[in-house]
Amino acid sequence: MASDTLLVSGGRALRPDATVVEADVLVDRGDGRIVEIGPDLMTDRDADETLDASGGIVMPGLVNAHTHAAMTLLRGYADDKPLDAWLREDIWPAEAELTAEDVRAGTELGLVEMIRSGTTTFADMYFHVPEVVAAVDEAGMRARVGHGVVTVGKDDESARADVRESLDVAREYDGAADGRVRTAVMPHSLTTVDEPLLREAVAEAHEDGIPIHTHANETRDEVDPIVEERSERPLSYADDVGLLSDADFLAHGVHVDESEIELLAERGTAVVHCPASNMKLASGIAPVQALLDAGVTVALGTDGAASNNDLDLFDELRDAAMLGKIGADDASAVPAEAAVTMATEGGAAALSLPGGRVEVGAAADLAVVDFDAPHLAPAHDPVSHLAYAVRGSDVRHTVCDGRVLMRDREVLTLDEREVVETARQRAVDLVARAE
Ligand SMILES: N[C@@H](CCSC[C@H]1O[C@@H](n2cnc3c(=O)[nH]cnc32)[C@H](O)[C@@H]1O)C(=O)O
Ligand SMILES: [Zn+2]
């Protein structure tokens, strides 16, 4: 029996087989693991800390497997443009003005938003990574973080410095925040990092057991030049560069053909589907059901708040199920259970991080979702609701690594008001500098 316990009592637990059972969940706060799941485990008095889950569903904390958290500062700054113009005309010029303090403030805003919508774990590609790590440490979340590398348009020296920084921070911060922070080397994409440096970065990272995370096959404009120049598909090029290992994970995978889907399945490389970003930038529709059918690990991501425009993964769940059906021209494609699995277990698997399952021995990363709201009545099938009707604001408590990050909708680890105010101010100043 654990000596330092958190009891999540009175709710119904979503099990890995997608069944829902009336059960308390007992957590060892010492090692951050689930020690027991079952009815009436102990009285509230016997536990060191309790969370009331009555009327709610205890599910794995959601995993946002691809985002740029600090981009909350650019939420609503530039909309209604395709990827390339959006990045070059608006986003990159604004990002050039970002300071380390801005990244800290924007990241904290993103983390507050994620905690409030039941996300415990995320992957972040940005810069000023030490600030991102400090924010994750303070917030109590779990993350795989990295420095995004762009080499196009840079002289050789600054291109090399960008690669160096990505490798250096990945080595330095792996295992930070009591092990809740892991890292990856993050070349921005197959077209924004030149081949020789891409090869170097991948080889060095893998030599040290560090995974690669990159944007891949996001738009047709990005795929076509690779096909023209190399007479091969982008993921065949990626494979040749060595970045399709089973620890690596790719964002988007919108324009992948059958040969690329097969390649992903063979290599064990995960894809992070970002349906809202793909719709907003009109990037296309990822063949999610085909990826699942082939056995590819599929996770979900919001992408940055400037292309979404929020970090609520429940929106992503719903969008993934909806868009998956339109994409496959089949209403049975990407069913509710598959969407929920992508947002939880799929995410944890893609990022090679603990969590994603409510089961004994698993990391105590949990979201308790209130089912009292009118839009969740009646509840014929809780899994259906999680995919199609629940909103992030229905999350009552969020727990990561056995620690309560939000209780009764109050974030405990960050000062929500202060975080929002600071981010607002910094965003205003940032935009003024960029214009
Ligand atoms: N060190 C790099 C920064 C790369 S961070 C990752 C980048 O990805 C950008 N980004 C955000 N969303 C997307 C997307 O959907 N596709 C491609 N890039 C994106 C984001 O704005 C950020 O510039 C530099 O010197 O520019
Ligand atoms: Zn992205």
Side-chain angles (χ1 to χ4, degrees):
M1 178 55 63
S3 58
D4 183 4
T5 51
L6 165 68
L7 179 70
V8 185
S9 68
R12 289 185 293 161
L14 175 69
R15 308 306 309 271
D17 65 0
T19 58
V20 170
V21 294
E22 291 208 6
D24 295 344
V25 177
L26 186 66
V27 169
D28 181 343
R29 291 196 302 186
D31 73 357
R33 290 188 180 280
I34 297 170
V35 285
E36 231 181 309
I37 301 168
D40 308 318
L41 287 185
M42 56 164 70
T43 64
D44 286 6
R45 251 181 312 129
D46 294 331
D48 296 291
E49 187 180 6
T50 56
L51 281 176
D52 176 17
S54 48
I57 297 284
V58 183
M59 69 180 294
L62 302 179
V63 181
N64 185 350
H66 176 74
T67 191
H68 315 271
M71 288 186 84
T72 49
L73 294 187
L74 297 172
R75 192 196 319 266
Y77 175 63
D79 302 306
D80 312 323
K81 283 186 172 187
L83 177 67
D84 195 60
W86 175 77
L87 283 176
R88 284 170 204 279
E89 293 166 15
D90 305 293
I91 299 300
W92 284 345
E95 285 179 336
E97 298 293 331
L98 279 175
T99 64
E101 292 76 20
D102 291 334
V103 168
R104 177 66 178 266
T107 303
E108 287 188 1
L109 177 59
L111 304 199
V112 164
E113 194 183 347
M114 285 195 267
I115 291 169
R116 285 180 62 80
S117 45
T119 292
T120 55
T121 303
F122 67 106
D124 194 70
M125 177 199 286
Y126 222 54
F127 33 89
H128 297 300
V129 171
E131 301 295 332
V132 177
V133 171
V136 173
D137 192 5
E138 196 181 349
M141 293 176 76
R142 206 185 284 288
R144 193 170 282 278
V145 304
H147 172 89
V149 177
V150 173
T151 68
V152 289
K154 289 182 183 167
D155 60 41
D156 192 53
E157 197 184 327
S158 47
R160 282 187 177 278
D162 214 19
V163 171
R164 189 51 41 214
E165 183 163 358
S166 196
L167 285 158
D168 286 348
V169 295
R171 289 184 183 122
E172 183 169 348
Y173 291 99
D174 199 31
D178 302 317
R180 284 180 286 106
V181 166
R182 302 298 310 271
T183 59
V185 164
M186 302 194 177
H188 174 260
S189 76
L190 299 173
T191 52
T192 51
V193 179
D194 292 328
E195 183 174 349
L197 281 174
L198 183 60
R199 284 184 185 278
E200 258 182 65
V202 170
E204 273 203 51
H206 281 172
E207 210 168 286
D208 287 358
I210 301 168
I212 302 291
H213 177 46
T214 189
H215 294 98
N217 300 44
E218 181 176 0
T219 63
R220 233 178 242 116
D221 289 346
E222 184 197 358
V223 168
D224 292 346
I226 297 181
V227 173
E228 261 162 50
E229 202 180 304
R230 302 179 183 275
S231 307
E232 64 177 337
R233 295 290 302 174
L235 294 190
S236 153
Y237 166 55
D239 191 37
D240 186 55
V241 166
L243 68 70
L244 294 189
S245 85
D246 62 1
D248 303 330
F249 55 109
L250 309 175
H252 300 299
V254 173
H255 301 280
V256 286
D257 73 5
E258 267 174 49
S259 70
E260 290 173 296
I261 294 174
E262 230 167 85
L263 192 56
L264 288 165
E266 263 169 43
R267 298 287 183 265
T269 308
V271 170
V272 185
H273 177 42
C274 304
S277 172
N278 296 160
M279 289 192 278
K280 184 161 186 266
L281 301 169
S283 301
I285 304 177
V288 172
Q289 189 59 52
L291 286 162
L292 292 172
D293 289 343
V296 177
T297 299
V298 184
L300 292 182
T302 57
D303 214 344
S307 59
N308 189 303
N309 286 359
D310 63 58
L311 305 183
D312 178 352
L313 208 74
F314 279 104
D315 275 359
E316 249 35 56
L317 257 166
R318 189 168 191 262
D319 287 348
M322 304 282 193
L323 193 60
K325 296 173 203 313
I326 284 289
D329 191 22
D330 176 3
S332 73
V334 194
E337 186 185 330
V340 172
T341 302
M342 287 192 276
T344 53
E345 217 180 319
L351 307 189
S352 309
L353 291 176
R357 294 166 75 89
V358 179
E359 72 181 354
V360 171
D365 295 5
L366 305 168
V368 179
V369 182
D370 224 321
F371 265 52
D372 286 342
H375 63 271
L376 301 176
H380 296 298
D381 174 359
V383 175
S384 162
H385 278 8
L386 292 174
Y388 295 116
V390 166
R391 305 168 188 152
S393 53
D394 295 316
V395 175
R396 192 192 297 171
H397 317 295
T398 304
V399 175
C400 182
D401 203 30
R403 180 176 176 201
V404 181
L405 309 187
M406 179 174 76
R407 171 187 287 276
D408 291 316
R409 296 216 52 73
E410 186 195 346
V411 176
L412 303 179
T413 48
L414 293 167
D415 182 336
E416 182 180 327
R417 275 169 165 268
E418 194 183 306
V419 165
V420 172
E421 204 34 62
T422 304
R424 254 192 201 126
Q425 195 52 55
R426 287 201 167 270
V428 169
D429 295 347
L430 168 71
V431 167
R433 288 200 302 280
E435 266 156 13

